[in-house]
Every structure is written in C-alpha cells, then in structure tokens.
Amino acid sequence: MAKDLAGLAQIAGIQSGATESGLVLQAVGIQKRFGAVAALAGASLELRQGELMGLVGDNGAGKSTLIKMIAGSISPDEGSLLIRGEPVHFRRPADALASGIETVYQDLSLVEPLSGTANIFLGRELLRSGVASRLLRLIDKQRMRARVHDVLSDLGARIPSVDSPVFELSGGQRQALAIARAVLFGRNIVILDEPTAALGVRETAHVLEIIGRLKSSGCSVVMVSHNIEQLMGCADRVTVMRLGLTVGVRTIADTTPEEIISMITGVSGSPSE
Ligand SMILES: Nc1ncnc2c1ncn2[C@@H]1O[C@H](COP(=O)(O)OP(=O)(O)OP(=O)(O)O)[C@@H](O)[C@H]1O
Ligand SMILES: [Mg+2]
C-alpha cells in the first residue's frame, strides 16, 4: 500500500509546494453578488498540505459559489485567493487547472458516449512518438490506456473496463474516473462537490476509500458534503458556512456533530435540561 501511494504521488508529480505554515490554498474575505443576492458575504477557506477539509453549510449557504470561484469559473467581487502563498486572479477554469487545482463537480463533466480513457485524456491526448505520427496527430491509445490503468489500480478503483463508454458505469465508478483524471494530470489540490451524494452504501464506502488514498498520496482535498457523520469519519477539519459567511473552522478530533449542526443552523445546542 505504501508503495502504491508513493507510485501514485510519482504519477501525479505531487510536490508539496506549501507555504511555511503548510497552507496550499487560502481564500480570504470573498464576496460575490448575483444581482440582489449576496451569495458570498465574506467567505474564507484555508487548506493545509495533505489535509482533507470538509465544507459544510445549509442549502444556499454559498459552498458551490465559493468552489466555483476557486475553480476559476466565476470571479469574486472582493477578497483574495492565494495558492501556496501566492496571490492569484483566475479568469477562467484553465487558470485554476494550471495552478494544480482540479474540481470534480457533482455532474462530473464526463462525456457519456466516450470511454473512460478518452474522457480522462479529453483535449490532452497522448500522441504516438515519431515525427510522422506527431504531424498526423496519431493518438497513442495504448499508452493512455496503460496510464489510466496504473492510476486506477493505485487508487484501488475497480472499473470493469476503461474502454467502456462512461454511460455503462455506475455513479461510484464515474467518481473514481474523475478523481483519476485529477491524479493523472498532477493536480495537488482536489475539490470534490458532494462526491457521494448520489451513491448507495457500498459505492459510498468505495469512493471514500479512493478519497483516502488520494489524500495519503499527498493531495490536499476539499470535500463539500451534507453528511456530517461521514465527514467525522474522513476529514481532518471542517469549515462551516452560513448565509454566505464562513462562521467557523473546527478540527474533527475536537468537535462533535452537534456542534457542527448548531454552527450550520445558527441555533446553539440546547443545554441539557
Ligand atoms: N448564478 C447565480 N445567479 C443568481 N443567484 C445565484 C447564482 N448562483 C448561486 N446563486 C445564489 O447564491 C446563493 C448561494 O448558492 P450556492 O449554490 O453557492 O449554495 P450551496 O451552499 O452550494 O447550496 P446547496 O447545498 O444547495 O448546493 C443562493 O442563494 C443561490 O440561489
Ligand atoms: Mg451547492
């Protein structure tokens, strides 16, 4: 297992690149309005090298808006974003990808009729070696298939065939493919928006195992979830948002589901009477 994870880190080209304080990502005082709606009214999020940060909040709290901002698909009205201590201004998703951030949205953005391998390498296909092959842009399917196979096996993901069209795969298998895509292209910050929301019990356990391996390989992960019990079992810390604001950060070992829920709702837990 340790060898697998070292291999995974090598495939991913993961380097820590963290600041002295160990922070790989900092979003500070983020504000974003959509017309009259203040979706974010001073949201903050920080992520340490190699940690799994849960991001929780009620419906409409601003979690997805914050994530879209970190993914470069919307820009903030106010606030700053720092990656490994350096201020960044993402104008488009490609800017976030270039900074090593991969975001796996709930719909996964996979192309249904294409195979798992084709989806992973979409737009970044490996070409066959040789001048003529390169000029003709001949795709090296064998090499792509082998690399996908290596990453999936290091992640412990079970997919019947990387050649099958994605519509034949289950929700958990699709999630595994999307995570493999992040690893293969060396993203060291991975953001997962409700990765297990649509999954059954067994698939949820399998995806959580894959996320655990991703983290052990050196990736830093933000995971949005409405499932507090699940985060208590897999996250290191949790950031709580309410009405567009970050209302607190807790270390999992020092908190309880009750405390998190009272932070989400803004209603303090009733003292035992
Ligand atoms: N493109 C948009 N245009 C207008 N309002 C928006 C837009 N995107 C988000 N909002 C609003 O911003 C607020 C925050 O939405 P967001 O999707 O970030 O919440 P969330 O915490 O992800 O909620 P959920 O748990 O339901 O996914 C909501 O009031 C939402 O209606
Ligand atoms: Mg959302």
Side-chain angles (χ1 to χ4, degrees), residues 108 110 152 158-160 168-178 199 203 206-207:
L108 301 179
L110 296 172
L152 288 173
R158 293 179 292 271
I159 291 195
E168 288 180 9
L169 301 180
S170 71
Q173 289 164 344
R174 289 164 190 232
Q175 195 74 44
L177 266 187
L199 308 182
E203 285 225 294
H206 187 211
V207 167

Side-chain angles (χ1 to χ4, degrees), residues 34 37 39 58-65 194 226:
F34 294 107
V37 180
D58 221 339
N59 296 116
K63 306 179 296 295
S64 294
T65 306
E194 302 204 41
H226 282 279

